[in-house]
Amino acid sequence: MTTGERVADWADGRLGVRRTATGKARRAFPDHWSFMLGEICLYSFVVLIVTGVYLTFYFHPSMKEVQYNGSYAPLRGQMVSEAFDSTMHISFDVRGGLLIRQAHHWAALVFVAAILAHMMRVFFTGAFRKPRELNWLIGFLLLVLAMFAGLTGYDLPDDLLSGTGLAVVNGTILSVPIVGTYLSMFLFGGEFPGNELVARFNTLHVLIIPGLMVGLLTAHLALMLYRRHTQYPGRERSDSNVVGVPAKVRAVKSAGYFLLVSGAVFVMAAVAQINPVWQYGPYRADQVSAGSQPDWYMGVADGLLRITPGWEVTFWGHTLALDNLIPLTVGVGLFLALGAYPFIESWATRDAREHNLLDRPRNRPVRTALGVAWLSFYLVSLIGAANDIIAIRFHVPVESVTWAVRIGLLVVPVAAYVLTKRMALGLQRGDRDKVLHGRETGIIKRMPDGEFVEVHEPLSQEQLHVLTQHEQYGPIGPGVRLSQRLRSRISEMLYGEGTQIVKPTAQEYRALHKGHAEDHS
């Protein structure tokens, strides 16, 4: 035996590595393009970690003021913080520093976008059902942590744009009743902006949040391997098997995907400028950066803040800033509703079985409509975060844009819900007609009586299975207790009258085709 073989044999005798690896290598992995969304999350996170480690060698998380004497001439001689000075040093004096810094920022945007897209894929296909509720919670926590990681990293350079955003954050924190002032003092180390913010945010951004995310990602991957991967319905696919490619093939594909994702991030970093702090200058508490917008994932919070009227009420001698408190409550409620939905649906259906086959979104019209309504609310809020830019670019009053967003937040989600539900029901009707009458061939025949009819071709068994394999729930009957009545109403909303088209039965299919055969004879 060679040295390597002896080391492998020693490890296998104590850890069982070979047996475990051999068993995992025999597993099959479903192959579908939508599964790559989860891989983009993982690979962009790897890019984030690698570029972040590189940046920590040069970044100084301190708000101590120094004189800037770097390569950027317009700022020479100005007093800036060490954090801003080191960011300028990375951007102009460190070889490849600007590329790495921009790749880090672009990877953060891709990471959050991929997490949200991946969660939406899981939501619309019902991949959150038993036994994957923990995976859904892990993904939800990863989304929240990724947003806060982006917020804390965005504020580290101590430039005017990030400082303007921090002033908004401080105002929102101060609006929290009773504890708002204490939270602000703790976060900033005193009165805003304080002297400890960058150091504290750096600890959160570099150590605490990434550590939590690594733990959650590890748990997510371990649960996925333990519970197997979900798969779309199709031929020879069921809740008890997995049809796909071998693990070795999947590993080779994943390596290629990693190179594609990392390459795309660095191409964006090389050709598209992002966060040019030298144009904003260092943060000054008495200045505000014009046209300032946060990164897209925090746009929902900023948009809600911009459109809320300046309402304040006095209650027991205390002033409640409703113009900050209401957007904070709505934003938190929006995300909590997304995180809690799988458990509400499970409670309403009383379904305790394991599900490894995914739903087609059209077969769950209400769930799909709720998801689209959630996304539409998010998008309208994001438009509100750019109300000043929209007003300038299109030469319209900013008040008009603000009122359009206010009305849109009430109208667009409702319209999106109704339209999506009707589209899903229409697709179900199309599937039902296709099952019973077959596929349109485009061939027109003239009957002996002069009537023109289109020839339909019967579907294959595989196509019939895909269109009819889904299970249709029924609403739960009324109860006596309050919780039972609530469950009954939610169940009625999800699966009551007008929420689904009854799929054709085998008897109906056979009877119709028997009649067609007799007519043909």
Side-chain angles (χ1 to χ4, degrees), residues 147 293-307 327 334-335 377-387 405 409:
M147 294 174 66
Q293 271 83 32
D295 285 330
W296 71 267
Y297 47 85
M298 298 301 295
V300 59
D302 196 58
L304 292 174
L305 283 169
R306 294 189 184 208
I307 66 170
L334 183 70
F335 279 90
F377 188 93
Y378 198 111
L379 291 175
V380 174
S381 301
L382 186 59
I383 293 173
N387 61 347
V405 174
L409 283 177

Side-chain angles (χ1 to χ4, degrees), residues 454-505:
E454 183 177 10
V455 178
H456 286 69
E457 180 181 291
L459 301 182
S460 65
Q461 290 298 318
E462 181 178 356
Q463 292 173 317
L464 289 174
H465 175 76
V466 171
L467 297 181
T468 60
Q469 57 78 36
H470 61 283
E471 182 179 0
Q472 293 187 321
Y473 295 97
I476 298 175
V480 178
R481 292 181 298 178
L482 178 62
S483 61
Q484 293 175 339
R485 292 199 299 268
L486 179 61
R487 172 183 284 180
S488 177
R489 290 196 175 187
I490 296 175
S491 177
E492 183 70 25
M493 182 192 72
L494 291 174
Y495 306 113
E497 184 179 356
T499 61
Q500 52 191 352
I501 304 300
V502 179
K503 65 181 183 179
T505 62

Side-chain angles (χ1 to χ4, degrees), residues 11 144 157 183 359:
V144 174
L183 290 175
D359 288 329

Side-chain angles (χ1 to χ4, degrees), residues 37-53 55 98-116 142 145-147 149-151 153 205 213 217 258 260-270 272-275 295-297:
L37 295 172
E39 295 188 63
I40 294 176
C41 301
L42 178 62
Y43 302 147
S44 57
F45 183 72
V46 173
V47 175
L48 274 171
I49 294 297
V50 173
T51 55
V53 170
L55 294 175
L98 182 59
L99 176 67
I100 299 298
R101 180 172 159 264
Q102 294 205 148
H104 188 74
H105 200 141
W106 277 116
L109 298 180
V110 171
F111 179 56
V112 183
I115 290 179
L116 183 58
L142 279 172
L145 286 175
M147 294 174 66
L151 176 65
H205 183 73
M213 295 176 75
L217 279 170
F258 171 70
L260 285 173
V261 172
S262 57
V265 169
F266 276 93
V267 167
M268 289 190 293
Q273 178 176 270
I274 189 170
N275 199 22
D295 285 330
W296 71 267
Y297 47 85

